[in-house]
Amino acid sequence: MGAPDALVRDGENASQTILINAAFLQEIKDSNPNLWHAASELRAMCESDEWDAETTTRDHIKQFVRALGELRDLISLQFGLEESYGYLHASGPPPQLAPLQPDFEDVQKQLRQALEQHCRLYLDLCDLVEQSEELQYRGCDRSALLAFAEQVAQFSREMTRHERLEAELIEREL
C-alpha cells in the first residue's frame, strides 16, 4: 500500500477552502469494517490481562507485528479514500454560502486539522510497525513489551480522538 495522498502532496495552499462530502465520508467509514475490527483487536491486545509468565514476550511481539502491519495497510487505504472522496479542495474564494456560516473559519480549521491528523497518524503507525519489527528481531523483556504496548495504546487513543473529530464534522453537515 502506498502512503495516503496527504503524505505525498507538495504542500497545500492555506487559503484553499476545504469542503466535506459528509454522506460519502460516512459511507467510506461504514464500508470498512475490517479497519474497525483491526483497531479493536489492537486495542484489546494493549489492554490484555492475559500476559502471564508462561506466554513468551516473543509471541506478543509477533502478534503486534501482524496487527500493526494490517492496521497500517487498512489505514492507508481508508485515509486515501477519505481524502480523495470525502474531502474536497476548492481553489479561490470560499463558496457563496461561507459568509452565511458564522463558524466557517472554525470549521475550516477543524477540516485542516483532520487532514493533518491523517498524515501524523499514518506516520506514527509506520514508526510503531518499525519498532515492533525491531523488537521482534532484537528481542525484549517484559518491561520493554509493556512500554511498547503503552505506546500502541496512546496511538489508539489518538486515532479515537481523530475519529470523533471526523464524526462531529460529518454530523454537522448532515
Side-chain angles (χ1 to χ4, degrees), residues 104-168:
F104 179 78
E105 288 304 319
D106 289 339
V107 171
Q108 286 298 296
K109 183 179 174 183
Q110 289 176 318
L111 288 166
R112 282 189 182 81
Q113 180 184 10
L115 288 170
E116 289 167 5
Q117 287 174 352
H118 281 184
C119 182
R120 186 173 30 81
L121 287 166
Y122 181 78
L123 292 175
D124 288 349
L125 184 54
C126 287
D127 286 344
L128 289 171
V129 169
E130 253 182 65
Q131 287 177 43
S132 69
E133 290 171 344
E134 183 179 327
L135 289 173
Q136 180 179 16
Y137 296 113
R138 182 173 44 94
C140 68
D141 62 9
R142 183 173 171 77
S143 64
L145 175 64
L146 293 174
F148 179 72
E150 178 50 40
Q151 285 182 290
V152 174
Q154 178 59 35
F155 169 81
S156 180
R157 290 187 291 270
E158 291 296 322
M159 184 69 185
T160 299
R161 280 192 274 283
H162 168 73
E163 289 303 318
R164 279 190 200 124
L165 172 61
E166 285 189 329
E168 290 170 10

Side-chain angles (χ1 to χ4, degrees), residues 79-91:
F79 288 171
L81 289 171
E82 287 180 7
E83 291 180 19
S84 295
Y85 302 106
Y87 292 90
L88 308 170
H89 299 271
S91 301

